[in-house]
Amino acid sequence: MWITPEEVLLANALWVSERANPFFILQRRKGHGKGGGITGLLVGTMDVVLDSSARVAPYRILHQTGDSQIFWSIACGSSRKEITGHWEWLETNLLQTLSIFDNDEDITTFVKGKVSGIIAEENKSKAAQEDEDSGKFREAEQKMRKLFGMPGEEKLVNYYSCSYWKGRVPRQGWVYLSVNHLCFYSFLLGKEVTLVVQWTEVTRLEKNATLVFPESVRVSTRHTEHYFSMFLNINDTFKLMEQLATIAMRQLLDNEGFSADRTLPKACKTLKNVSALKRDLDARAKNERYRALFRLTPDERLDGHTDCTLWTPFAKMHIVGQLFVSNNYICFCSREEDLCQLIIPLREVSIVEKADSSSVLPCPVSISTKNKMTFLFANLKDRDFLVQRISDFLQRTPDKLWSDGHPLALSGYSVSQSEGMCTKEKMKEESWNIHFFEFGRGVCMYRTSKTRELVLNGIPESLRGELWLLFSGAQNEMATHPGYYAELVEQAMGRCTLATEEIERDLHRSMPEHHAFQNEMGIAALRRVLTAYACRNPGIGYCQAMNIVTSVLLLYCTEEEAFWLLVALCERMLPDYYNTRVVGALVDQGVFEELTRECLPLLYEHMQELGVISTISLSWFLTLFLSVMPFDSAVLLVDCFFYEGIKVIFQVALAVLHANMDTLLGCTDEGEAMTILGRYLDNVVNKQTVSPPIPHLHALLTSGDEPPPEIDVFQLIKSSYDKFGSLRADVIEQMRFKQRLKVIQSLEDTAKRSVVRAIMTDSAFSIEELEELYVLFKAKHIMSCYWGASCTAAERHDPSLPYLEQYRIDLEQFCQLFGALGTWLCGTHTVTLAARHFRLLDSNKDGLINFKEFVTGLSGMYHGDMTEKLKLLYKLHLPPGKQGKTTPQDSSCIAICIQCNIVMSVSEVKDYKYYLRMWAKEKEPKIETIKDLPRMNQEQFIELCKTLYNMFSEDPLEQELYHAIATVASLLLRIGEVGKKFTNNGAKKSTDTTYTQAPTLSAELPQPEKEESNGESSSGQSLVCKALAEAQLETPPQQTSDEEVKDDTSVSSYSMVSTGSLQCEDIADDTVLIGCAGDQQRRGSTLDGDWSITFEQVLASMLTEPPLVDYFEKKGDIQARMATCKMQRGVERQVSSSSDHELAQLST
């Protein structure tokens, strides 16, 4: 590429000049290409270790004039092809112009101006110039693509210097982290190490420190482990690896590939050597932490944050923390955990102004809300800029959203309206009223440790719905989407989908013991909420356990409020819990097992032997203990969950195990442990409840003779905080990442086994071969999703389908797999044959095939007998849609049958049993026989011959196979000519009784005219010869010895004959068909439209030639081809890392 001219004092240090003219010099860096000796090895090693190769490309062009000792670097290139293009442009466009100048300084000025102009033009043509990466980073990205054979669509995120441990020897080099791959390259004294790992193959990623690997990163796949160490900043590197692995797991889970987020705010200044993608990922990570901290919606974008202090009127003090500003919110979080948290929606802000500064209160900003609350922030570094940004966001906030009034509430049922409220409930309400007076009420309330204490003591039933909405963030989303729920209900009602059917099945199983759902009003409200959410999020639709959680929400909220609480649960607070594979619940189950191992190690080992943890925890997490604990007790855990998040569920689960540890250690089987835990949870009671007790169905079924002691739910919650309250949300998220890799890869393995089991009975491949084929097929599917696919990822992957049909590939990917795994390789003709094969397999004509169809196509090539293989080849050369259709020759028979049926229908009346038998016969699967195949015309036959000729080009018995196919082709041509005469004569006789036209006039000619017949035969034969000659030209030239070059006037030991006069009986054992010339070719250029043959004739002719029989009866070795396919990436890397001189030779 062209670069801004820079001075170079030592032109020949570490460089070799390859071309020169009076004004320019083209140089190659030592250590690249052939030669160089020990100096080249040292320079190459230094480039890798010191990363000078990222700053200095292997090729460059210098400008020099006359006797000047100063050189100017004007262009560089990562390949010889690139730098040669620049050199040729200079010679063509500048040499003649520069020769006119008399002054060297004018020449240099002109060249520098010209190059600067070219660079300016290139920059103008680039879109989004602010996202342009630095020159050094672009060179590193080009180097990565060249070293590892990556296409232009693969984007580099960042690269780091590190050591890769190969055995016990560290190899110093560079690790390249791209969107889809982890790559490593090292070159030390002539020894090269390359490594490529797809992020989708990573099963474990962790940072550890041992004696052998000090402060290293371990990257594990299903088969190997890789260790990287000696990073300059291992924490930043590991965080980036985590992000990229998470993106890959998301792609496996729901086929969401990576796409740059254009709505993120731009960086104030472009950091040197940091890519736009890296800035994008850093901004995403900050956004995710910000949204999780304040329970905000996924569309919220953090604009910036700054340190500040907040004046708290309830404590009469300034609290140090951070102020966050996004497009819809101003948030504050104290530096000390749980001291104070604040969320101010911009829709509630009325005034933002700068207050007077003082030594006590420097740079303050006052923010007033519509409910008469004022917040005072101070110690702001850039107060003017902050006020301006908030003002800009306020101007964009629509006026119609400045209302938190509740929209239409279709229905609701609350148990808080019970009579005779006890004293404790009134005391709770009074405590909350005092809290509201002191800390504020609504979205802008100060959230402190006092708030947590009130939540742990139980939320009053009259305030439960309001506070659930507040703490979950659902109130913000409901306020900004007025009327949305009513629109969804209107859209969803009347629809019949799989989700609605499942909802109807579970409606009456949702808290049947509660009187609110023993009538149609409660059931109808639950139906509307669940169907509305299924309409909003078809990816989730409906999952079991959603009905239980939603029914509890409806007891304390209106329908619309319950809907938005369900949105907050499914999409933010319990991510991926309620999809088809409950991935989120499985991930948290793994986290719970890890926490049990750390906190209760003795119990963990015993429970693992019994297999209890994985059984009990899934129902606990999916329903938030609502299905395993009495309702009045479980709802208190839901209170804590909406305030604290998932950590409180982990704490309570650990407390339950700890309380029963002694009893569980004495269990001998899984059933006994389950009974103990079930009875314990059944007897967790809420003695402060004001509603009549609701019998717990599980407790009624499992109660024994002696009732176990009751456990106060408040004591259980307090115990969980005392013993396990040190759990932190960031630690849980780190554990979730580790378990997510494990769970998703485990689900992928399960899917693979399910697919293999489903098709193993229909395929001759072994289980191991099918599993390897599935891995290759899925890898091609995944690769197509991010490397320029012709259709979207959603079209290729439908999670609602069975595993067998989920992954699909298009024609381009199939051609690549066909070329790597197929046995019928035909040189340049392979792509055409693969396209025909794809067309045959694509039964629904959607341009995609699934794994079963792919295996069916391969199985025919590898495990079919000669008849099956020939039948497949025969089908591949028939036109689309021809299979199973009648041929023109059969139309007369059909017409006669129709007439006979009409007569029969008039004379006989069939009873209903006859029609039932006919209908059953139609429903039976028809087994295709060789007689069902349509006839093949002359053009298709020529293409078949061409394919066969190309297939034999690399076989050891090449010449014998050529001779055999030539013999068979001539024989089939004669058979077709004979068949044409009979067909035409038969058609002529039946013209009066059918509507079939006589095909040609050739059937009317007298049969004794043998010369005419021979002419027609030779015409067809000449077409075959011409096609075979063309096929021979398409075949890549074979390496020949000197003797073969000298004896090029003969074709092996076979004789050349003129096929224009070749008869079937003239073909000897040593005859090969050679392309014809002159008049015979001209006469053979017209296809015979009446000529045709059947598959039986092709098969019978092939059976007469033993070489062809042996060839098609030979079994293929797919193991070797799959191994070659796996090594293909390594071969690409070797080619791409070869010298450019070698690459130039390969390209020519």
Side-chain angles (χ1 to χ4, degrees), residues 37 95 223 439 558 642 721 834 886 934:
L95 279 186
H223 308 292
F439 296 90
T558 65
F642 277 120
Y721 273 90
T886 57

Side-chain angles (χ1 to χ4, degrees), residues 241-258:
M241 288 181 172
E242 281 186 330
Q243 278 187 285
L244 295 172
T246 301
I247 292 171
M249 293 305 105
R250 176 58 56 184
Q251 186 177 12
L252 287 177
L253 182 61
D254 51 20
N255 228 55
E256 286 186 5
F258 176 81

Side-chain angles (χ1 to χ4, degrees), residues 968-1000:
V968 170
S970 298
L971 178 60
L972 288 172
L973 284 170
R974 296 284 295 166
I975 292 173
E977 291 296 330
V978 174
K980 182 178 70 172
K981 296 180 183 298
F982 285 103
T983 302
N984 289 342
N985 288 335
K988 178 71 175 177
K989 292 177 183 178
S990 60
T991 303
D992 298 333
T993 57
T994 66
Y995 300 101
T996 307
Q997 228 176 3
T1000 62

Side-chain angles (χ1 to χ4, degrees), residues 126-269:
K126 292 179 180 177
Q129 187 175 356
E130 63 274 10
D131 287 340
E132 183 183 350
D133 297 328
S134 65
K136 176 184 175 181
F137 191 88
R138 290 201 306 273
E139 291 177 12
E141 187 173 47
Q142 291 175 2
K143 177 186 174 184
M144 178 206 70
R145 292 171 183 163
K146 178 185 173 185
L147 287 174
F148 306 105
M150 300 291 179
E153 293 86 356
E154 185 68 2
K155 302 298 183 184
L156 177 65
V157 180
N158 213 345
Y159 61 103
Y160 303 91
S161 173
C162 70
S163 292
Y164 170 59
W165 291 80
K166 193 171 183 181
R168 296 192 176 186
V169 180
R171 302 296 180 94
Q172 184 65 30
W174 292 83
V175 62
Y176 296 85
L177 305 181
S178 69
V179 173
N180 303 295
H181 295 87
L182 180 151
C183 307
F184 177 83
Y185 178 78
S186 173
F187 181 84
L188 294 176
L189 299 178
K191 290 187 177 181
E192 186 179 47
V193 177
T194 55
L195 173 71
V196 176
V197 178
Q198 282 190 354
W199 289 117
T200 52
E201 295 296 324
V202 174
T203 58
R204 192 171 183 179
L205 183 65
E206 59 183 356
K207 182 176 61 174
N208 52 21
T210 62
L211 294 175
V212 182
F213 303 110
E215 201 176 26
S216 62
V217 173
R218 180 170 70 173
V219 181
S220 303
T221 63
R222 288 179 176 83
H223 308 292
T224 57
E225 290 185 346
H226 308 283
Y227 290 88
F228 302 90
S229 64
M230 297 180 68
F231 291 95
L232 293 177
N233 193 333
I234 191 170
N235 293 325
D236 289 347
T237 308
F238 186 72
K239 285 180 182 178
L240 180 58
M241 288 181 172
E242 281 186 330
Q243 278 187 285
L244 295 172
T246 301
I247 292 171
M249 293 305 105
R250 176 58 56 184
Q251 186 177 12
L252 287 177
L253 182 61
D254 51 20
N255 228 55
E256 286 186 5
F258 176 81
S259 58
D261 192 345
R262 301 299 180 188
T263 62
L264 292 174
K266 305 299 180 185
C268 298
K269 58 179 181 179

